[in-house]
Amino acid sequence: MTEEGKFRYIGRHRRAVEHRRFVAGKGRYAADIQLPDPLHVAIVASPHAHARIRSIDAAAALAMPGVHAVLTGQELCEHSDPMLPGVDAPQVKRYPLASEVARYAGEWVAAVVADSRALAEDAAEAVVVDYEPIDHVVDPAAAMEPEAPRVHPLHGSNVIFRRVFNWGEVDTHFAQAPHTLSYRVHWARSATVPIETFAVSAWWNDATGILDVWASIQMPKYPDLLAKALRLPGNAVRVHYDVDVGGSYGVKRGIKHSVLVGYLARKLGRPVRFIEDRLENMRGGDMQGPDRIFDVTLAFDGSGIVKSMRMRAVDDIGAYSGRAPLQLGKPVGAIVGPYRIASVEYDAVSVMTNKTPQEAVRGFGQAPTNYAIETGMDKVARFLGLDRIELRRRNLIGRDEFPYLIPSGTTYDSGDYAAVLDKALDAAPLARILAERDELRQRGLLAGVGVSTCLEPSGGNSAFEPLFNPKNTTTTWMDSCLVRIDLSGSVTALMGTSTSGQAHETLVSTVVGEILQRDPDGIRVLHADSLNALPSNSPVGSRMAIMLGGAAAGAAKKLRAKLLRVAAHNLGMPEDQLIYDGGDIVSKTDAGRRIGWDSLVEIAHRMFHKLPEGMEPGLQEKFVWEVPTGGKMPTEDGRVQMYPCHSFESHVVLASIDPETGKTTFHRYVCGHDCGVMISPDVVHGMTYGGIAHGLGAAMMEKFAFSEEGQLLAGTFMDYLLPSALEVPAVTIVDHCTPSPLTEFGQKGSGEAGYLGSPAAIASAINDALAPVGASIDALPMTPQAIWGALRQASTPSAFPSRERT
């Protein structure tokens, strides 16, 4: 996928560095950290969706053998600061343990500390909490009514954020449009459900005044936020990032877990450890994602050109606000998808209810928005009697239109959307799957072909923070890397972040190897701790290929320039007359005049007399890189460059439905994908395949359902269904490459790939299958029960075609 011969190592197939230790069973996860004589935590959780906490009686628990403490919310609130709400809502205060009021079923109200987890769990059952249930609200529409029970009365409303953005001549475009079409879709609350739940261990050293923390973390500013909540200086918290994280996809934030454990470790003077069990993770571990209702109206002409869009998105964030409201912010940077929609009104509403709080989930709100836009494209095509693929072609931004400015102020960097769509259709191939669809229909099955064309904004900018909270004037989301060459000539790189499966060691070694022209397999990459590390904003927002890759390249380029200067000084030649060749430096005109890698390294480390005047000895350089196109505040009307780079994906799906059971079978799945230059193609393909499986779950199976009483009805894997190898079809991934002009090698992000387009494509296929019988579904997940119900409500007598029997 790159110009032949342009790169030595980038774009080549290579085993991921991390895979060796994982395959050998040598991964080192947070649960593997063995501290001396640790104490263990178990949680006492509220059984009520909303209740006053009258009293907590821990006497029986404290009398049990091996129990060291029972921590209540009242004590913890007195000795810590609330966690930040993300938006300007100072009266929405949140602590790890509830004090006075529990606001959702599963909220932590006390923590029991004992010699083992089993003893702590037994003691937790002995804690007696006197609750007074009060009125609750679980429906977001009801929560916005004036008479609704207040989740946080001091805030004055259950709406924690609302802003109506108006970009372009929306009213004019709607008035001039021959047609308008309105619809509602619902993206149900789901998550990522990693194999590893959140785990954290903390150890306070009274002699040094440092709190050491080992956690399965993926979170920007985690050490800073932890220190702030614990009222400690930043240099009193040391987070060890050399811990493998067993899956995250955004949800491993764990700040409340860490504040709780950090406080207990300092109070008790012992290492303290907390590993969620699955129920704690599911109902109260802050890992549930967007729960969003979209009301959309499109304005378009008779040829299907969509001129304008009005979108209202109401997101149920649950009982507290972390970064959940900001998941309505990322879509600002791709609010029109890959289409030439000239104006947009975007009404973003974030509502609190008495449910488990939301957290950041893969795509940070972009996947639901893609689903809403793509559903509209299908509906416009059906309204006009146009082919759905042809309608998309007419609206796609052309390759010659880049860089392309969308109404919300973001410029798309590069792309060739039609070419990616064509590659996916050719790989299907379209004619064959249409024929197979018709054949399946003749056999009595409901069958459909689905398509989606979606963007993946990447590069993890901070722009949504000041956009949604004017008091937050953050304009940088830098990342960094340090690279050193030791006296033996070996290369080591240092990064300041954790990894949850994205193969950052492979990324950095490949990039540094490319710049220094040294074999990546000989380059060691390490995770620093937070007191030794350079600044990082963690692997969120598909940013590390861009940001960590760019930082690693920058540090390596500084080293390469230093080596070139050393060689020029010792050869007595101008630098522009020299060539860097695999670490050796040679004259352009006389191949006999050269200095080899080993000699250059030795001069730099040991021969100060051979260094240019003013040069420091040694070979170590750091580089801190700001997000390309970042560093600016939003305009008054909310226009902003949200993310720098924009990957693109097109999905083509063939599916059939058994009309008697509602069961869906996938017969063909193709994903065309363009993330610019792929640094590690095998890593990209793995993430894309996993993202498609993740999206299939969101589209067909996964939902955190709640009862009217606010009780979670999907707290186990018997009720919250995940796709297995049986449900995930074989996937064909077709690559395309339009390099980004903003990055070192032309790379874009890919960590959210697959997930951002697969739910929309699957929904498109299901509705194509249902269309002949007059049925449709505009809510995810499209479970067999939902399909079965839609068929029973179908408007045509042929809703249940006869089946061929064999």
Side-chain angles (χ1 to χ4, degrees):
M1 298 312 303
T2 62
E3 183 182 336
E4 186 66 27
K6 185 175 181 180
F7 300 117
R8 290 189 178 208
Y9 303 111
I10 284 175
R12 309 301 182 195
H13 293 283
R14 171 179 170 235
R15 287 186 181 274
V17 175
E18 297 86 345
H19 289 179
R20 177 171 181 169
R21 68 174 181 272
F22 295 144
V23 171
K26 300 296 184 182
R28 184 171 178 265
Y29 299 92
D32 295 324
I33 304 300
Q34 298 297 321
L35 302 177
D37 200 19
L39 299 175
H40 299 259
V41 174
I43 296 298
V44 179
S46 169
H48 303 286
H50 206 189
R52 293 187 182 91
I53 302 171
R54 289 173 169 169
S55 64
I56 299 178
D57 184 356
L62 289 168
M64 296 174 69
V67 175
H68 292 258
V70 175
L71 178 66
T72 65
Q74 181 179 356
E75 177 186 340
L76 186 58
C77 292
E78 289 174 359
H79 295 92
S80 64
D81 289 341
M83 297 171 285
L84 299 180
V87 292
D88 186 14
Q91 297 303 321
V92 180
K93 296 182 179 179
R94 185 184 188 189
Y95 296 86
L97 300 177
S99 177
E100 299 182 356
V101 176
R103 292 179 168 86
Y104 66 95
E107 183 172 10
W108 303 349
V109 299
V112 178
V113 189
D115 287 332
S116 70
R117 169 74 188 205
L119 290 173
E121 287 182 355
D122 289 344
E125 293 181 0
V127 175
V128 178
V129 184
D130 183 12
Y131 296 99
E132 178 190 348
I134 53 181
D135 290 341
H136 64 275
V137 60
V138 294
D139 178 76
M144 290 189 287
E145 296 295 330
E147 67 278 7
R150 295 286 186 265
V151 180
H152 293 270
L154 293 179
H155 181 67
S157 168
N158 288 328
V159 176
I160 193 169
F161 176 87
R162 182 177 187 181
R163 183 173 178 181
V164 180
F165 300 92
N166 201 301
W167 301 302
E169 300 178 17
V170 177
D171 291 340
T172 299
H173 291 154
F174 264 83
Q176 295 174 347
H179 305 288
T180 62
L181 186 150
S182 298
Y183 59 96
R184 168 175 284 192
V185 295
H186 184 196
W187 177 283
R189 181 180 292 225
S190 60
T192 70
V193 205
I195 294 174
E196 178 200 45
T197 60
F198 191 80
V200 57
S201 294
W203 190 2
W204 172 258
N205 188 324
D206 219 18
T208 62
I210 292 177
L211 180 72
D212 283 284
V213 179
W214 295 262
S216 53
I217 196 70
Q218 182 192 348
M219 181 182 184
K221 304 293 191 296
Y222 171 76
D224 310 274
L225 294 173
L226 179 55
K228 182 183 184 304
L230 291 172
R231 300 174 182 169
L232 292 170
N235 63 2
V237 173
R238 176 165 52 205
V239 177
H240 296 263
Y241 285 122
D242 59 339
V243 174
D244 293 316
V245 179
S248 172
Y249 316 102
V251 300
K252 290 287 182 69
R253 306 186 75 78
I255 190 68
K256 75 173 186 180
H257 311 62
S258 305
V259 172
L260 173 66
V261 169
Y263 174 80
L264 288 168
R266 192 177 182 194
K267 173 184 177 178
L268 301 175
R270 294 266 298 276
V272 176
R273 168 176 171 163
F274 175 37
I275 302 176
E276 292 178 319
D277 65 23
R278 186 58 65 179
L279 179 59
E280 287 167 343
N281 177 261
M282 298 281 269
R283 71 176 181 175
D286 305 344
M287 50 75 73
Q288 299 183 13
D291 189 352
R292 197 169 297 178
I293 297 171
F294 293 90
D295 289 294
V296 185
T297 303
L298 299 177
F300 54 97
D301 63 22
S303 64
I305 303 300
V306 180
K307 191 69 173 179
S308 187
M309 175 176 71
R310 289 191 172 110
M311 173 183 284
R312 183 173 190 250
V314 177
D315 201 13
D316 178 354
I317 68 165
Y320 294 96
S321 170
R323 293 179 71 81
L326 303 180
Q327 295 199 85
L328 288 165
K330 178 174 180 175
V332 167
I335 196 65
V336 297
Y339 306 115
R340 283 189 237 89
I341 300 175
S343 61
V344 176
E345 180 184 281
Y346 179 43
D347 185 0
V349 188
S350 191
V351 183
M352 295 180 291
T353 62
N354 294 111
K355 292 179 184 173
T356 303
Q358 261 193 47
E359 259 308 345
V361 164
R362 190 180 207 161
F364 207 53
Q366 189 65 52
T369 306
N370 288 348
Y371 162 63
I373 295 171
E374 290 300 287
T375 297
M377 287 296 171
D378 279 2
K379 287 181 179 293
V380 169
R382 288 198 171 93
F383 177 87
L384 294 173
L386 290 174
D387 177 78
R388 290 167 294 152
I389 295 169
E390 176 59 26
L391 181 92
R392 284 171 169 81
R393 289 190 195 279
R394 296 179 184 183
N395 285 280
L396 287 174
I397 299 163
R399 62 177 297 179
D400 57 346
E401 297 180 77
F402 291 94
Y404 186 88
L405 178 65
I406 68 171
S408 61
T410 285
T411 296
Y412 295 166
D413 54 330
S414 66
D416 190 349
Y417 303 155
V420 179
L421 173 59
D422 287 342
K423 281 190 173 183
L425 295 172
D426 289 345
L430 179 61
R432 184 183 302 171
I433 63 171
L434 288 174
E436 188 174 349
R437 178 194 66 178
D438 295 342
E439 180 186 346
L440 290 166
R441 287 175 174 177
Q442 290 173 4
R443 287 165 45 193
L445 293 169
L446 301 171
V449 172
V451 63
S452 69
T453 45
C454 299
L455 287 182
E456 178 186 2
S458 57
N461 204 345
S462 62
F464 46 74
E465 294 183 348
L467 183 66
F468 273 46
N469 182 3
K471 293 181 179 178
N472 185 337
T473 55
T474 300
T475 56
T476 181
W477 249 37
M478 82 295 281
D479 230 280
S480 58
C481 187
L482 183 147
V483 180
R484 66 169 63 99
I485 304 169
D486 61 32
L487 183 56
S488 73
S490 299
V491 182
T492 301
L494 202 66
M495 57 179 166
T497 184
S498 58
T499 297
S500 49
Q502 305 97 329
H504 295 147
E505 294 167 41
T506 305
L507 164 69
V508 172
S509 62
T510 304
V511 166
V512 172
E514 186 67 44
I515 297 296
L516 295 180
Q517 298 179 13
R518 309 295 290 179
D519 186 351
D521 287 338
I523 297 173
R524 189 173 302 279
V525 182
L526 302 176
H527 298 259
D529 64 59
S530 61
L531 293 186
N532 287 297
L534 295 161
S536 171
N537 278 285
S538 86
V540 296
S542 291
R543 68 190 303 273
M544 297 313 269
I546 297 167
M547 296 305 301
L548 180 58
K557 286 167 71 175
K558 290 170 75 173
L559 279 174
R560 180 169 159 166
K562 185 172 183 177
L563 291 170
L564 190 63
R565 188 178 168 201
V566 170
H569 178 71
N570 283 270
L571 290 171
M573 297 178 62
E575 291 182 33
D576 61 6
Q577 295 301 308
L578 299 174
I579 298 172
Y580 185 96
D581 181 18
D584 297 347
I585 296 178
V586 60
S587 167
K588 290 182 178 179
T589 57
D590 182 359
R593 300 190 68 185
R594 69 164 54 228
I595 299 182
W597 171 266
D598 292 340
S599 296
L600 288 168
V601 169
E602 187 172 18
I603 291 170
H605 278 283
R606 300 183 64 231
M607 300 178 182
F608 188 70
H609 63 288
K610 290 189 175 184
L611 292 180
E613 185 176 352
M615 178 178 284
E616 295 178 354
L619 291 169
Q620 177 171 294
E621 296 289 348
K622 69 175 178 66
F623 188 80
V624 181
W625 201 31
E626 166 56 18
V627 176
T629 72
K632 298 176 183 177
M633 291 287 288
T635 61
E636 289 188 5
D637 63 352
R639 297 175 195 261
V640 65
Q641 179 70 43
M642 187 62 71
Y643 280 31
C645 302
H646 297 81
S647 300
F648 177 78
E649 53 194 68
S650 181
H651 298 246
V652 181
V653 184
L654 171 64
S656 66
I657 301 170
D658 184 331
E660 296 177 1
T661 64
K663 180 183 177 181
T664 299
T665 300
F666 295 97
H667 301 270
R668 186 80 171 117
Y669 201 112
V670 176
C671 175
H673 186 231
D674 178 4
C675 62
V677 173
M678 293 186 291
I679 293 175
S680 301
D682 297 322
V683 172
V684 170
H685 292 163
M687 290 192 290
T688 305
Y689 193 101
I692 290 169
H694 185 183
L696 186 151
M700 303 295 299
M701 306 171 72
E702 300 180 46
K703 181 180 180 180
F704 285 110
F706 289 81
S707 70
E708 292 183 359
E709 290 73 34
Q711 297 296 321
L712 178 63
L713 301 178
T716 74
F717 290 148
M718 292 293 291
D719 307 296
Y720 185 91
L721 301 181
L722 294 170
S724 69
L726 191 63
E727 288 80 28
V728 179
V731 175
T732 299
I733 299 173
V734 185
D735 299 318
H736 188 77
C737 179
T738 51
S740 173
L742 304 174
T743 59
E744 181 67 36
F745 309 106
Q747 75 271 28
K748 304 179 184 181
S750 63
E752 294 153 349
Y755 180 69
L756 295 190
S758 61
I762 291 169
S764 176
I766 297 300
N767 279 320
D768 186 48
L770 296 176
V773 298
S776 66
I777 302 176
D778 288 333
L780 302 184
M782 295 177 166
T783 61
Q785 295 92 329
I787 293 172
W788 192 87
L791 289 174
R792 262 80 193 146
Q793 296 176 10
S795 59
T796 65
S798 59
F800 310 103
S802 61
R803 295 285 304 276
E804 289 184 4
R805 300 292 180 181
T806 58

